[in-house]
Amino acid sequence: MSYRSHHPSLQTRLMRVVFVHGWSFDRSFWEPVIRKLGYETHSLDHGFFGTPDLMIPEDEPVMAVGHSLGLLWLLSTDNLPDGSCILGINGFTRFTRAPDFSAGVAPRVLDRMRTGLHRGAGDVIRQFRTNCGLAAEHIEERTSPAEAGPVPEQLQRGLDLLQSGDARSSRCQVRAALASRDDPIVTVAMTEACFSENQLCWSETGGHLLPLTQPDLCSRFIRNAMERHDYAT
């Protein structure tokens, strides 16, 4: 995958980048990308490990970037300032299977996760992250942040959105979507069912956690969107 290099004229003030993480993570998920990006950023938090913080800055348009569930949440909210742009990474417009969406995940998978939350949220999170391809040595440090443990009620809300969320009618709001061909969660078939060919940018590798496994690629993807859509001010 190739991108135009960052143009010198874009050293002027740019749109703020607002990040939204996916299920079982928190705002720290985006730190590797933020370090590479060098733009003004603001990271939201679903509160899976503490207090939710989902207030989007309202003073000006933003470049909103959602990972996985984070993209579905962005497409389901009406709080984005006018003129904002939405990008997806490992994202989707619908997650669960339906008669008109055969590429989705079977609802029983989420049913099992929901049941597991009542027995032990930490175990469900660890298994999900293993399925995502997170290296074993990093699972615990990201499962139990120092400030708090898992919050089952918030994790449940995330699963509810994964189960019932359907933003396919809003897919035109997504300016570009970065996906991985070896993503074990959001398959190639699901990705292609969610987005048009001209929306998609593909990575051959990187799995479901591109912001962790390919932060350079993700930062270039965001910069490219800034350039292509002239969001420098």
Side-chain angles (χ1 to χ4, degrees):
M1 181 182 299
S2 62
Y3 292 101
R4 286 190 297 163
S5 61
H6 196 182
H7 194 280
S9 66
L10 293 188
Q11 298 306 313
T12 56
R13 186 172 180 274
L14 299 167
M15 286 180 81
R16 181 185 300 158
V17 181
V18 172
F19 290 109
V20 189
H21 63 85
W23 196 82
S24 90
F25 291 92
D26 62 11
R27 58 164 49 101
S28 68
F29 176 81
W30 291 105
E31 288 176 359
V33 176
I34 290 172
R35 287 195 295 268
K36 302 286 185 182
L37 194 58
Y39 293 166
E40 181 183 0
T41 65
H42 179 80
S43 297
L44 306 187
D45 199 304
H46 284 289
F48 297 145
F49 299 95
T51 303
D53 177 11
L54 295 171
M55 294 296 294
I56 299 173
E58 299 177 349
D59 52 333
E60 59 187 2
V62 299
M63 177 74 77
V65 185
H67 175 260
S68 192
L69 170 68
L71 176 61
L72 183 60
W73 182 87
L74 281 169
L75 293 172
S76 303
T77 187
D78 57 3
N79 293 331
L80 281 175
D82 291 342
S84 295
C85 172
I86 297 177
L87 302 177
I89 298 178
N90 298 118
F92 41 82
T93 56
R94 182 183 174 93
F95 188 69
T96 52
R97 189 175 302 160
D100 61 346
F101 192 71
S102 60
V105 170
R108 67 176 179 275
V109 174
L110 295 176
D111 290 339
R112 287 198 297 266
M113 293 172 70
R114 185 179 286 107
T115 300
L117 288 179
H118 299 295
R119 295 197 296 262
D123 291 338
V124 177
I125 290 170
R126 280 186 284 273
Q127 184 60 59
F128 175 74
R129 291 180 173 185
T130 298
N131 294 345
C132 288
L134 189 64
E137 63 268 24
H138 299 307
I139 288 178
E140 285 300 328
E141 67 184 58
R142 288 188 172 273
T143 299
S144 302
E147 66 272 16
V151 181
E153 294 80 6
Q154 299 298 341
L155 290 161
Q156 174 70 60
R157 288 190 180 95
L159 292 179
D160 290 344
L161 181 56
L162 287 172
Q163 182 110 36
S164 62
D166 190 339
R168 286 177 290 173
S169 63
S170 300
R171 79 174 190 174
C172 62
Q173 296 180 32
V174 180
R175 295 301 181 97
L178 177 61
S180 178
R181 294 192 184 277
D182 65 349
D183 188 330
I185 305 296
V186 184
T187 63
V188 170
M190 184 192 298
T191 301
E192 291 178 337
C194 287
F195 306 105
S196 65
E197 183 178 352
N198 64 1
Q199 286 175 301
L200 282 169
C201 301
W202 287 102
S203 173
E204 293 301 317
T205 61
H208 186 62
L209 304 176
L210 284 173
L212 297 181
T213 60
Q214 302 268 19
D216 285 311
L217 176 65
C218 293
S219 64
R220 292 198 304 274
F221 170 70
I222 296 167
R223 288 195 195 103
N224 186 63
M226 290 278 201
E227 295 181 26
R228 286 179 56 200
H229 300 291
D230 296 323
Y231 281 114
T233 57

